[in-house]
Amino acid sequence: MADTLRRLVNSSPYGVLQDKLEAWYKDYHVFSCDQNLNRCCELVELTSKIQGQLFTILNLTAQEGGHYSGVDTLKSRLLPWLGSCFTIAASSVSADTSLSLIQESVDKDRRIRELSSVHESDMHKIEDKLCSTRMELDTVKQELADTQIELDSTKNKSVTTLLATEDEILHLKADLRVAQDQVDLYKRKLDVLDDYERQVRILRDEISFLTAEKTVLQERLVRSCSPSPLPRRSRSVSPVRGESPTRAQLTSSSRHARLVSRFSDLYATERLESQSLLRRYIDDLETVQRILFIAVVESFQAAKMAYRQFKSRVRKTLSSTHIGPESLEDAVVDYIVRNLDLYDVQTSVNDVINAMNVNPRISFPPEVDFVLISSFIREACRIAFAMQTLDPALDLAFSSDGELYSDVKYRRSFDSEFTAPLVAHHVWPALLEGDTVILKGEAVTRRGALWRSRSRSSSPVRSRTGSPSRTFMPSRSRSPSPGRLSSNRL
C-alpha cells in the first residue's frame, strides 16, 4: 500500500488534472465541439485512473486492517456515498453545487487543521518565551541586587575621597594655568626668534653686499695709489667699473631659493585652498584643476609682459643719468629688485581673469566668477614677476593636453591611469631654469587623452556676458613711471 501511495504522490495526478482543466478553460471558446468533447473525455479518463488507484489503496488498506478494522468507516463514509451516486437518479442539488460544497468542506477542514497547528505552535512559543522571560527577570533581579550593593559601597568610598578629589582638581587647574602661561611665553619667544632669524638673513645679505663693495673699493684704492704712466688711459679702460657686483647679483642665490620655496608653497597651500573654494560651486574636480592650472600659466604670461614693460621704462629713465660702475642692464635689474613693491599686480590680475574668461579649455559655469581666486592669482603673479629678476630667469615648461607623459617634467596624480602614455590634463606646471627642470609638475594621464583634447579644442568659446555673477575687470596701468621717482632711490 505504501508503494502505491508513494507512486501516486510522485506522479502528482491532481496537479496534472488541474493544469489540463485550466488549459481547457482558456481555449474552450476557441476549440470546436469535437475538441471540447475530446478534452472532457480525456479528463474523465484521467479521473477514473486516479479513482482506480485510490480504490486500490482503499482495498490494500482494508486488507492490512483485518476482517473487522475499518468497517465503521466504510459503512458511514463509503457506502452512503456510493448509494447517493449510483442509486439516486436525480437530486435537488446540482452537480456544481455538490462540488462546491465538497470543496468548501475540504477547505474548512484544512483551515481548521492549519489553525489548530498554528495555535499549538504559538502556544509552545509563548510558553518558551514566558520561561525565558522569567529566567531573565530572575537574572535582572539578582543583578539589580548586586548593583545596589556595589552602589552603596561606591557611595561610601566616594564620600571619603571627595575632599581629596576636589584638592586634586584645584591643583590640576593651577598646573594648567601655569602650563598655558608657559605656552604663551614660548610662543612669544618663538615669534621673537623668527624675527631675529629674519633680521639675521637680512644682515647677512647686507654684510655680503658690503663685503663685496669693500673689496671693490680696496682694489680701486690700490690702483689709485700705484704709479701709472698713463693715468687717463687706465681710467678709461679700467675693467673694475664693469665687474662691480650689484645687490641683485649678490642676493641672486638667496632670492632663487626663496622664490622656489614660495612656488612650492603656492602649490601645497594656496592651490588647495582655492580648489576647496571652487569645489563649493563646481562638482567636477577636473574642471577645477584645469582652472587653477590655467590661472598659473596666465599669471606667468601676464607677469612676464609686465616685467618687460616695467624694465623698458626703467631703462629709458636711467639711460640718461647712469654713471655707476655697473652696466646699464645691471643697474636696471638692481633697481627692479630693490623696488618690487612698485609692480602693479592688480593690473596683471585683471589681465589674467580676462584671459581666463575667453579660454576655450575651461567649461564656464555661470554661477562661478574667477574673481573668487584673485588672491591665488595675485600671489602667482608676484612670484612670477620676481622670478624674472633672476639670472637665468625661471619660467614654466610648455604643456598641452594630449602630450606624451614625461617623468622628468611631471609626476602622476593619484587618480591617473598609470599605464596611459598621454596626459589628459595638467594639475600643476613644471618649473624650469633654462632647460633644466628644478620642480616637477603634476599631470593626470588617461587613455584616449588625445581624442579628449581634440574634442575640447574644437568646442566653441561660449560667451559669458549673460552671467549675472560674471564681471570682466578692465585692465588699467597703475604703476608709477620710474622717471617720477626720487634720485635717492635710483
Side-chain angles (χ1 to χ4, degrees), residues 220-262:
R220 289 180 182 178
L221 182 61
V222 171
R223 291 179 181 274
S224 63
C225 293
S226 62
S228 176
L230 297 174
R232 293 181 180 178
R233 184 178 181 181
S234 64
R235 187 181 298 113
S236 62
V237 296
S238 176
V240 179
R241 295 171 59 89
E243 297 178 358
S244 176
T246 62
R247 178 182 178 87
Q249 295 172 349
L250 292 174
T251 61
S252 178
S253 60
S254 62
R255 288 187 295 110
H256 180 279
R258 186 168 63 252
L259 290 173
V260 171
S261 177
R262 287 175 63 188

Side-chain angles (χ1 to χ4, degrees), residues 75-93:
K75 288 181 178 181
S76 62
R77 296 292 299 274
L78 181 63
L79 293 178
W81 176 74
L82 290 175
S84 64
C85 290
F86 293 100
T87 59
I88 301 174
S91 177
S92 61
V93 181

Side-chain angles (χ1 to χ4, degrees), residues 344-348 350-351 354 473-479:
D344 186 11
V345 66
Q346 186 60 41
T347 301
S348 297
N350 297 338
D351 294 340
N354 291 335
M473 303 295 294
S475 60
R476 294 178 297 176
S477 177
R478 299 180 182 178
S479 59

Side-chain angles (χ1 to χ4, degrees), residues 443-456:
V444 178
T445 55
R446 294 277 191 276
R447 294 193 178 277
L450 184 60
W451 179 82
R452 295 179 184 179
S453 63
R454 287 179 177 175
S455 63
R456 280 185 174 271

Side-chain angles (χ1 to χ4, degrees), residues 178-245:
V178 173
Q180 289 177 351
D181 295 337
Q182 291 180 354
V183 168
D184 295 336
L185 179 61
Y186 290 152
K187 285 183 179 179
R188 290 194 295 270
K189 289 183 178 180
L190 185 60
D191 295 337
V192 173
L193 183 60
D194 292 338
D195 295 336
Y196 286 161
E197 290 179 354
R198 192 179 302 107
Q199 293 178 6
V200 166
R201 288 195 298 268
I202 296 173
L203 290 175
R204 284 178 180 175
D205 295 340
E206 295 290 340
I207 289 172
S208 60
F209 177 70
L210 293 175
T211 303
E213 286 187 351
K214 179 182 177 181
T215 304
V216 173
L217 292 175
Q218 287 178 352
E219 291 178 357
R220 289 180 182 178
L221 182 61
V222 171
R223 291 179 181 274
S224 63
C225 293
S226 62
S228 176
L230 297 174
R232 293 181 180 178
R233 184 178 181 181
S234 64
R235 187 181 298 113
S236 62
V237 296
S238 176
V240 179
R241 295 171 59 89
E243 297 178 358
S244 176

Side-chain angles (χ1 to χ4, degrees), residues 274-285:
S274 301
Q275 179 174 311
S276 300
L277 182 61
L278 290 176
R279 285 302 298 274
R280 299 177 184 175
Y281 308 96
I282 304 176
D283 294 332
D284 188 11
L285 179 61

